[in-house]
């Protein structure tokens, strides 16, 4: 069965001097979600953007804002991003002491809760959390930087999580983030992902190329 995947462009690779226009451009180009990579300089080395930046770009798209919190402790930042316009808040078990409570807190804020697994975290970490999770994000690079090569080792984890989700019968979305391009997207789709996050592969060739870049990641010939 050919799975129809959704595409979540990561603003990490956009022109930071024009983030509003870039958000509008990828929405017009066919993005299904807007992925924001929030980095605090502590959980990962770079510092990228905060809740005020989310608030600023929110009016430029009617698509769900998929906020990837690479911050620690994540508990300190849920409310501010929820109030700034996040539709989904994705957190790392590696970034907090109490991942179960963290996901509960996201749900209490009325947002969809995502669980992000670093390459060093196995699929089994998700097992006790499926009741609280709306999305599982498989990091196919080590977090912190765009433009890194895809870790092929994560394909087995993606396939295993696909089976876990299907057996659970729960409507959990399976998302993959890092090194997604025309080539790796084929393998990731085959492994059972629902959403592909991409930065470098989408924000290239200029705004007029965004729609074709997105279509190719879906496996559609532009
Ligand atoms: C890593 C980031 C990147 C980004 C996508 O922390 O999460 O994975 O979203 O980067 P590309 O698509 O350039 O690999
Ligand atoms: Zn991300």
């Amino acid at each position: 069965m050919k799975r129809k995947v959704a595409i979540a462009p990561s603003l990490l690779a956009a022109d930071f001097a024009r983030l509003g226009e870039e958000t509008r451009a990828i929405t017009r180009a066919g993005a299904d979600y807007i992925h924001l990579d929030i980095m605090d300089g502590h959980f990962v080395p770079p510092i990228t953007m905060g809740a005020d930046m989310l608030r600023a770009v929110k009016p430029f798209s009617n698509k769900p804002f998929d906020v990837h919190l690479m911050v620690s402790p994540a508990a300190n930042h849920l409310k501010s991003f929820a109030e700034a316009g996040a539709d989904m808040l994705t957190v790392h078990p590696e970034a907090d002491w109490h991942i179960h409570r963290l996901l509960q807190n996201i749900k209490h804020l009325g947002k969809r809760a995502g669980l992000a697994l670093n390459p060093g975290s196995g699929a089994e970490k998700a097992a006790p959390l499926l009741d609280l999770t709306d999305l599982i994000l498989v990091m196919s690079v080590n977090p912190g930087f765009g433009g890194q090569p895809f870790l092929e080792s994560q394909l087995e984890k993606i396939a295993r999580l696909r089976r876990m989700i299907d057996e659970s019968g729960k409507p959990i979305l399976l998302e993959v983030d890092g090194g997604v391009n025309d080539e790796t997207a084929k393998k990731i789709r085959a492994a059972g992902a629902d959403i592909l996050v991409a930065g470098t592969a989408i924000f290239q060739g200029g705004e007029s190329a965004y729609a074709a870049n997105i279509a190719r990641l879906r496996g559609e010939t532009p």
Side-chain angles (χ1 to χ4, degrees):
M1 176 202 62
K2 187 168 165 62
R3 181 179 301 274
K4 188 161 171 37
V5 293
I7 303 300
S10 166
L11 291 184
L12 187 67
D15 177 353
F16 268 43
R18 300 173 46 255
L19 279 182
E21 296 92 326
E22 292 270 66
T23 301
R24 180 188 293 133
I26 50 168
T27 301
R28 288 178 174 162
D32 298 291
Y33 298 87
I34 310 297
H35 188 87
L36 270 67
D37 283 308
I38 309 301
M39 301 181 190
D40 66 355
H42 174 228
F43 180 63
V44 290
I47 296 174
T48 54
M49 56 183 89
D52 289 340
M53 185 60 84
L54 166 57
R55 185 174 288 107
V57 300
K58 179 80 176 176
F60 287 84
S61 179
N62 60 350
K63 298 298 179 182
F65 278 74
D66 168 27
V67 177
H68 178 190
L69 292 172
M70 288 166 276
V71 301
S72 177
N76 297 356
H77 302 280
L78 300 180
K79 192 166 184 295
S80 62
F81 279 92
E83 289 173 350
D87 298 284
M88 303 144 83
L89 284 169
T90 298
V91 290
H92 282 258
E94 308 93 347
D96 208 293
W97 293 278
H98 306 289
I99 183 62
H100 186 279
R101 180 161 58 202
L102 206 54
L103 294 169
Q104 284 180 317
N105 290 349
I106 294 170
K107 303 295 277 183
H108 292 154
L109 287 165
K111 303 301 176 183
R112 282 183 280 176
L115 174 72
L117 298 176
N118 276 341
S121 297
E124 66 282 355
K125 264 194 187 282
L129 303 165
L130 295 182
D131 286 339
L132 280 170
T133 304
D134 300 296
L135 175 139
I136 297 175
L137 168 57
V138 175
M139 290 303 295
S140 39
V141 295
N142 282 296
F145 305 92
Q148 300 179 84
F150 178 79
L151 294 170
E152 299 274 334
S153 61
Q154 301 308 299
L155 286 169
E156 169 47 36
K157 187 196 295 183
I158 296 164
R160 186 167 169 212
L161 284 162
R162 176 74 276 148
R163 292 193 296 273
M164 282 172 66
I165 292 168
D166 292 346
E167 283 158 18
S168 77
K170 298 179 189 309
I172 299 171
L173 292 169
L174 183 55
E175 185 177 51
V176 178
D177 179 355
V180 177
N181 57 39
D182 297 359
E183 282 319 302
T184 59
K186 290 185 194 115
K187 300 173 189 171
I188 299 165
R189 293 195 305 265
D194 298 305
I195 307 173
L196 307 186
V197 175
T200 306
I202 290 174
F203 289 99
Q204 61 177 343
E207 193 171 314
S208 59
Y210 291 174
N213 294 344
I214 288 173
R216 284 198 311 277
L217 293 181
R218 281 207 186 92
E220 297 161 358
T221 41

